Amino acid sequence: MTASTTTTATTTKDNGTRGSEAGHRRATPALGGLNTTLLAIELRRVLRNRRTLVFTLAMPAVFFLIFGVGAEYAGKDAGRGNVSAFIMISMAAYGAMIATTSSGAAVATERSLGWSRQLRLTPLRPAAYVAVKIATAMVLGAVSVVVVYVLGALTSADMDGLGLWVSTALVAWAGAVVFAAFGLFMGYLLPSENVMQVLGPVLAVLAFGGGLFMPLEEGSTLATIAEFTPMYGIAKLAHAPLTGDSVQWTWVLNVVAWAVVFTVGAAWRMRRDTARV
């Protein structure tokens, strides 16, 4: 065998090896890179943020004490419970909404630090990244709901049976997935230094406009507009077990539609944000 032949064979082998390694690196991991390790890291990072925890846990609890315990109408009947229970459900849903939105919107800070662009160099897919963020936000939302419900159980909230407590809490928490996706979407649209300053008032308007804090008069212009807002379906579904209202398919459609819109928007913005790498 000549030297040139040996060199050619060695080069071909090296190129094949490098091509194989490159192909291995480009292979899409299972579930697009979604795994428990990544989720655990995200959870630890969120739960270490004391300011976020205080903001998302303390504010709904304080609002409940003011409007659901201290008010003179708190003990009046409301469906299968009292007004205090109605307000407890509202504040739990509101707290979950704030918690999930702020957790998702934290991606704005990651963008400013270059972390989102760094992720583009990894096999992590946008859909998997969005799923991890939403799961983390939902854990924080669950904590917020539990805090308000424990406070309600220890004070003046009253509902007929454990089933009502569990069902209303689960709906208030599950509906917050809409705002976990919303927070992610807004985190990619707004600069990091302004994201929660902008979203705070927006969330309050959405809560009022969606009928979360007070029942909307049927047939009114406000009630008609509310049906197309992100909070409407959640508010209706969360209060339905207490008020005894029959679940309407339009409420479910409202929740699903907004969840899809915000999730797709978040994935789209992530792709655009990292495409320059």
Side-chain angles (χ1 to χ4, degrees):
M1 182 180 293
T2 64
S4 60
T5 302
T6 301
T7 301
T8 300
T10 302
T11 302
T12 302
K13 181 179 180 180
D14 291 344
N15 288 339
T17 301
R18 286 195 294 269
S20 176
E21 292 175 350
H24 179 70
R25 288 194 299 269
R26 290 193 296 268
T28 303
L31 301 177
L34 178 64
N35 57 76
T36 55
T37 300
L38 178 60
L39 180 59
I41 291 173
E42 285 291 325
L43 284 173
R44 286 197 298 268
R45 184 180 63 80
V46 170
L47 294 176
R48 286 194 189 114
N49 191 328
R50 296 180 181 178
R51 184 174 62 180
T52 298
L53 290 178
V54 171
F55 178 72
T56 57
L57 301 183
M59 180 160 42
V62 170
F63 282 173
F64 170 69
L65 290 175
I66 294 173
F67 300 108
V69 178
E72 60 181 12
Y73 50 76
K76 294 183 178 180
D77 292 339
R80 299 172 63 189
N82 59 9
V83 174
S84 180
F86 185 96
I87 296 174
M88 178 188 69
I89 296 170
S90 297
M91 293 307 164
Y94 184 58
M97 178 175 68
I98 295 176
T100 53
T101 299
S102 62
S103 181
V107 72
T109 302
E110 296 178 2
R111 290 174 59 226
S112 67
L113 297 175
W115 179 240
S116 295
R117 298 189 66 189
Q118 187 69 23
L119 289 176
R120 187 63 174 177
L121 303 177
T122 73
L124 184 66
R125 293 291 182 259
Y129 177 71
V130 169
V132 169
K133 288 294 185 182
I134 290 178
T136 304
M138 292 304 291
V139 171
L140 190 59
V143 175
S144 181
V145 171
V146 169
V147 168
V148 174
Y149 266 65
V150 169
L151 194 59
L154 294 176
T155 53
S156 58
D158 179 58
M159 286 190 282
D160 295 340
L162 180 62
L164 281 181
W165 287 83
V166 174
S167 60
T168 54
L170 286 177
V171 174
W173 168 73
V177 69
V178 174
F179 290 93
F182 172 72
L184 271 174
F185 190 21
M186 293 298 102
Y188 278 112
L189 287 176
L190 302 174
S192 61
E193 64 273 11
N194 296 327
V195 60
M196 283 314 296
Q197 289 89 329
V198 173
L199 293 183
V202 170
L203 292 177
V205 171
L206 290 177
F208 275 106
L212 181 63
F213 295 144
M214 61 184 66
L216 300 173
E217 182 181 352
E218 295 294 334
S220 65
T221 301
L222 183 58
T224 302
I225 295 174
E227 293 180 6
F228 299 95
T229 64
M231 198 65 209
Y232 177 80
I234 300 171
K236 285 291 189 179
L237 290 170
H239 288 110
L242 174 66
T243 59
D245 294 334
S246 300
V247 174
Q248 305 294 322
W249 68 268
T250 53
W251 304 349
V252 178
L253 179 62
N254 176 276
V255 174
V256 172
W258 282 110
V260 170
V261 168
F262 293 142
T263 301
V264 172
W268 166 63
R269 289 301 305 178
M270 181 191 178
R271 288 181 183 276
R272 291 200 60 181
D273 193 65
T274 58
R276 295 188 299 271
V277 178

